[in-house]
Amino acid sequence: DTEVTQTPKHLVMGMTNKKSLKCEQHMGHRAMYWYKQKAKKPPELMFVYSYEKLSINESVPSRFSPECPNSSLLNLHLHALQPEDSALYLCASSQSRGETQYFGPGTRLLVL
Amino acid sequence: LAKTTQPISMDSYEGQEVNITCSHNNIATNDYITWYQQFPSQGPRFIIQGYKTKVTNEVASLFIPADRKSSTLSLPRVSLSDTAVYYCLVGYYGGSQGNLIFGKGTKLSVKP
């Protein structure tokens, strides 16, 4: 298995909702990442997990809460989002932190 | 982290060879050069990575001059399906470093 999967593919939520994005990989990678990508812009790093511990938080607002329950799974919990948080959310993984990253297909999020 | 500069866009025709050059004047000794391809609403896909001289795989070649201040991604005989955004990234692999910063990318349009 050489892919990163993300669910759901699309998500529409209101500003008062709580939702979660899920990312899974079965390549034995020990580093996992969340990126945010707005239309026609490059991906921006949000969080980095290394060996299931949060090692980087790029000053992301607390309404985004990452979680790494095990080495294969990465979640991003969303609460009280704003319309400007609408974007493509990408998950990636790598053998270890700093090595080549492999990306999932992303979750397209729309906040109303 | 080394900053990269790429052309914003390039046009080509099917069957032609396309060369996309990336400048990274302040590349560090431990930095590798990695190229990703991204289609609309999909995650970036790893294309090729190198440190110096020339690297070739089944989809592309990467040329890196001796001073490593630039690199060129070469796509042989492009097709319409190669229309995408191509990102050049420079980063340190290994140790506690290795966060990848995406530049603006090059939007390649292949015409029939």
Side-chain angles (χ1 to χ4, degrees):
Chain A
D1 188 352
T2 58
E3 67 173 347
V4 176
T5 60
Q6 290 187 245
T7 54
K9 281 192 170 183
H10 303 275
L11 179 62
V12 180
M13 61 186 291
M15 289 189 283
T16 58
N17 292 158
K18 285 185 181 182
K19 297 286 185 183
S20 296
L21 308 185
K22 179 181 172 181
C23 173
E24 204 161 1
Q25 57 87 15
H26 296 287
M27 296 178 278
H29 289 176
R30 301 313 300 267
M32 298 184 77
Y33 311 76
W34 280 115
Y35 289 83
K36 173 183 177 179
Q37 186 174 28
K38 301 282 276 183
K40 299 188 187 303
K41 298 289 186 184
E44 296 177 9
L45 183 66
M46 300 174 72
F47 302 105
V48 180
Y49 272 84
S50 180
Y51 289 85
E52 295 140 63
K53 291 192 183 338
L54 183 64
S55 59
I56 294 277
N57 175 341
E58 291 286 353
S59 303
V60 179
S62 59
R63 57 186 184 268
F64 296 91
S65 175
E67 178 197 20
C68 190
N70 59 58
S71 59
S72 300
L73 189 56
L74 185 66
N75 297 320
L76 185 62
H77 302 298
L78 315 173
H79 174 53
L81 294 194
Q82 303 297 310
E84 58 264 29
D85 296 321
S86 299
L88 181 68
Y89 287 85
L90 295 162
C91 174
S93 70
S94 62
Q95 188 69 37
S96 61
R97 184 178 158 192
E99 298 199 39
T100 302
Q101 294 181 27
Y102 295 89
F103 285 81
T107 293
R108 174 70 62 188
L109 174 67
L110 177 62
V111 182
L112 301 176
Chain B
L1 291 167
K3 185 179 176 181
T4 60
T5 303
Q6 305 172 232
I8 295 296
S9 63
M10 292 182 70
D11 291 333
S12 182
Y13 290 94
E14 281 191 293
Q16 288 187 333
E17 177 185 75
V18 170
N19 296 309
I20 306 174
T21 296
C22 178
S23 297
H24 27 80
N25 290 320
N26 60 338
I27 188 169
T29 303
N30 291 330
D31 285 343
Y32 279 73
I33 298 151
T34 309
W35 285 80
Y36 285 85
Q37 174 193 56
Q38 188 177 27
F39 299 112
S41 296
Q42 294 188 26
R45 182 176 78 100
F46 171 81
I47 302 176
I48 198 165
Q49 181 183 95
Y51 183 79
K52 62 180 180 181
T53 63
K54 177 184 174 182
V55 180
T56 297
N57 62 23
E58 61 276 8
V59 297
S61 294
L62 179 59
F63 299 91
I64 305 167
D67 66 5
R68 303 199 329 121
K69 293 185 184 299
S70 67
S71 58
T72 299
L73 174 72
S74 181
L75 304 172
R77 297 179 300 282
V78 293
S79 64
L80 296 175
S81 62
D82 292 315
T83 294
V85 177
Y86 292 82
Y87 293 102
C88 161
L89 292 87
V90 172
Y92 169 59
Y93 288 87
S96 61
Q97 301 295 320
N99 297 332
L100 295 181
I101 306 298
F102 282 79
K104 291 185 167 66
T106 297
K107 184 174 182 180
L108 173 65
S109 298
V110 179
K111 301 173 183 177

